[in-house]
């Protein structure tokens, strides 16, 4: 036997190239998977734009990007249970299983983990091998596009869990991208936070409007009075913007929190972000970092998506524009579009999905 995989690798910022890999056989416990649909995450835009520490870029490229998605089983190794033809959600994290974090139910913090499009190749290829224990079959009633959003939803679920939100809390989410949207939705759904006590703060009206029926919104470029109204009053905030806005959004989080309040940090950016430590000290604030998610969050995400109402709300963050990836140029076009700094996604809401024919 033997299969030839076409891999669409980012070789340097803004440049993809085709690589071919021969897959000789399928190891025990592994599946041969064919990506079907995947979302472009902001963390990958940072690689695409070269906005990562130079050592990281040098060490990690060439690399296949894309870590949020769905694949089809096209081959099975010995000892696996899934059938050929099954569509699965990929958990892009493969933890080491041996370290302190792994042994303490914190696999998302495993420092030896392989994570697609960060420390391992992602879904931008026609075929790949993956351990069966890191995928989940898609339950009936969930379409492939929505299932492709399971990873970002799992991230929101992990962060929400970390925050220990009470239903009486005033909650503010900073960042109007897909993660900000999902955190707002989860706070409403699981936290039972009423719209009057749940705020999504961002800068693009069209993105903010997606939460209109379950949260209040603040455009921080314009709604100064509303921002002022929640200043020093917020019990729990989430920073889900990162990138170039990081300095501003962390400052915003410090300002809106009440004394003793807490902030969950999810956004990422390159290098250092200055913070007013004295304000954090004087207000007794808690800042907690939160990254990736655990298998339990994927299971919970798929469980939630079985509800038609929840699924329909999640669908709001599927971008209208879709890309079919036949060659490296198609992928470059998709990434240019999905760039929230200079691409259409600056103003257009939603996760940009790419399809592998
Ligand atoms: Zn992601
Ligand atoms: Zn580990």
């Amino acid at each position: 036997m033997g299969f030839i995989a076409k891999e669409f690798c980012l070789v340097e910022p803004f440049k993809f190239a085709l690589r071919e890999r021969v897959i000789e056989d399928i190891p025990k416990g592994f599946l041969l998977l064919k990506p079907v649909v995947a979302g472009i995450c902001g963390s990958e835009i940072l690689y695409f734009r070269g906005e990562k520490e130079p050592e990281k870029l040098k060490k990690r490229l060439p690399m296949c990007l894309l870590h949020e998605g769905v694949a089809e089983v096209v081959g099975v190794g010995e000892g696996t249970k899934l059938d050929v033809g099954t569509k699965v959600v990929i958990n892009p994290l493969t933890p080491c299983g041996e370290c302190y974090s792994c042994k303490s139910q914190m696999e998302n913090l495993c420092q030896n983990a392989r994570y697609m499009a960060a420390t391992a190749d992602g879904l931008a290829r026609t075929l790949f091998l993956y351990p069966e224990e890191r995928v989940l079959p898609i339950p009936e009633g969930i379409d492939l596009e929505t299932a492709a959003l399971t990873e970002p939803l799992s991230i929101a679920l992990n962060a929400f869990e970390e925050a220990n939100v009470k239903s009486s809390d005033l909650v503010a989410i900073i960042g109007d991208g897909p993660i900000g949207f999902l955190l707002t939705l989860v706070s409403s759904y699981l936290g039972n936070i009423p719209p009057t006590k749940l705020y999504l703060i961002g800068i693009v009206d069209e993105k903010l409007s997606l939460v209109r029926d379950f949260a209040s919104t603040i455009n921080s470029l314009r709604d100064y009075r509303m921002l002022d109204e929640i200043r020093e009053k917020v019990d729990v905030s989430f920073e889900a913007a990162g990138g170039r806005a990081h300095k501003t959004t962390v400052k915003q989080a410090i300002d809106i929190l009440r004394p003793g309040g807490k902030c969950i940090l999810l956004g990422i950016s390159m290098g250092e972000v200055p913070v007013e430590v004295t304000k954090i000290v004087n207000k007794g604030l808690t800042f907690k970092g939160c990254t990736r998610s655990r298998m339990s969050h994927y299971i919970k995400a798929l469980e939630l998506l079985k509800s038609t109402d929840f699924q329909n709300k999640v669908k709001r963050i599927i971008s209208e524009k879709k890309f079919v990836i036949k060659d490296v140029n198609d992928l470059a076009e998709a990434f240019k579009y999905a760039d929230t700094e200079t691409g259409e996604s600056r103003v257009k809401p939603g996760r940009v999905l790419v399809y592998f024919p």
Side-chain angles (χ1 to χ4, degrees):
M1 60 196 277
F3 308 88
I4 295 179
K6 278 196 210 169
E7 305 189 325
F8 308 108
C9 305
L10 184 73
V11 284
E12 58 184 76
F14 302 103
K15 195 178 164 201
F16 291 100
L18 189 68
R19 184 171 71 183
E20 277 191 355
R21 184 189 293 275
V22 180
I23 298 172
E24 294 291 356
D25 55 3
I26 309 171
K28 195 174 168 188
F30 277 68
L31 301 169
L32 182 65
L33 297 172
K34 177 194 171 305
V36 179
V37 52
I40 299 179
C41 173
S43 66
E44 294 161 337
I45 299 288
L46 295 179
Y47 280 102
F48 179 66
R49 296 181 57 85
E51 290 180 3
K52 281 277 184 191
E53 290 75 7
E55 327 77 80
K56 268 193 190 165
L57 281 179
K58 200 166 167 235
K59 201 168 134 198
R60 295 178 177 181
L61 303 189
M63 175 167 72
C64 300
L65 299 179
L66 304 179
H67 64 271
E68 308 175 354
V70 162
E72 182 180 341
V73 179
V74 292
V76 294
E78 201 192 313
T80 53
K81 294 185 198 80
L82 293 175
D83 294 324
V84 168
T86 308
K87 305 279 200 308
V88 295
V89 162
I90 307 295
N91 181 338
L93 171 82
T94 311
C96 79
E98 316 248 294
C99 69
Y100 175 81
S101 300
C102 283
K103 289 194 166 147
S104 319
Q105 280 78 52
M106 300 186 293
E107 63 180 41
N108 57 308
L109 301 182
C110 172
Q111 300 298 303
N112 317 315
R114 292 168 59 76
Y115 205 89
M116 284 186 169
T119 52
D121 279 320
L123 298 167
R125 40 192 170 158
T126 56
L127 284 175
F128 67 104
L129 292 170
Y130 211 61
E132 185 182 50
E133 60 181 31
R134 306 309 294 172
V135 307
L136 290 169
I138 300 168
E140 228 173 284
I142 304 175
D143 60 74
L144 299 182
E145 278 90 356
T146 314
L149 299 169
T150 307
E151 192 261 5
L153 179 55
S154 77
I155 304 288
L157 289 171
N158 185 22
F160 180 74
E161 200 177 288
E162 289 288 341
N164 254 320
V165 173
K166 295 194 293 289
S167 58
S168 56
D169 282 345
L170 182 62
V171 177
I173 291 103
I174 303 169
D176 54 21
I179 299 289
F181 172 90
L182 291 170
L183 267 167
T184 312
L185 181 60
V186 164
S187 301
S188 164
Y189 243 80
L190 299 181
N192 291 313
I193 311 291
T196 48
K197 300 192 83 177
L198 179 59
Y199 286 85
L200 177 63
I201 304 173
I203 55 170
V204 181
D205 287 337
E206 208 180 325
K207 297 183 182 182
L208 290 169
S209 72
L210 299 179
V211 302
R212 62 199 169 264
D213 50 344
F214 55 86
S216 309
T217 62
I218 297 178
N219 185 325
S220 60
L221 299 178
R222 193 188 57 215
D223 305 330
Y224 302 120
R225 204 178 50 82
M226 284 180 81
L227 255 184
D228 232 36
E229 273 167 24
I230 61 165
R231 194 176 303 278
E232 308 271 324
K233 293 201 180 88
V234 172
D235 298 287
V236 179
S237 72
F238 296 89
E239 194 289 322
R244 292 183 194 174
H246 224 173
K247 197 171 134 187
T248 316
T249 51
V250 170
K251 185 178 182 307
Q252 210 162 51
I254 295 173
D255 287 345
I256 59 176
L257 284 173
R258 64 152 165 86
K262 80 186 131 191
C263 175
I264 305 293
L265 297 166
L266 295 98
I268 49 169
S269 60
M270 183 171 70
E272 295 176 7
V273 178
V275 284
E276 274 189 86
V277 175
T278 307
K279 271 196 183 168
I280 298 178
V281 172
N282 287 343
K283 286 172 78 175
L285 302 178
T286 303
F287 274 75
K288 188 170 194 318
C290 185
T291 188
R292 300 176 176 172
S293 55
R294 299 185 283 278
M295 204 45 141
S296 57
H297 301 116
Y298 284 78
I299 294 167
K300 196 167 177 182
L302 288 173
E303 203 52 51
L304 282 168
L305 287 172
K306 284 187 196 165
S307 141
T308 314
D309 180 54
F310 188 84
Q311 191 182 142
N312 283 338
K313 290 202 168 82
V314 169
K315 277 185 209 288
R316 291 181 191 175
I317 51 155
I318 297 177
S319 163
E320 280 172 26
K321 179 91 174 160
K322 297 175 169 53
F323 293 85
V324 177
I325 308 303
K326 294 201 187 104
D327 61 37
V328 288
N329 297 324
D330 298 330
L331 194 58
E333 282 309 307
F335 267 80
K336 271 182 213 150
Y337 183 95
D339 189 329
T340 48
E341 300 284 356
T342 59
E344 293 285 319
S345 293
R346 193 165 38 89
V347 287
K348 287 261 171 276
R351 206 39 130 214
V352 175
L353 297 183
V354 299
Y355 295 76
F356 294 92

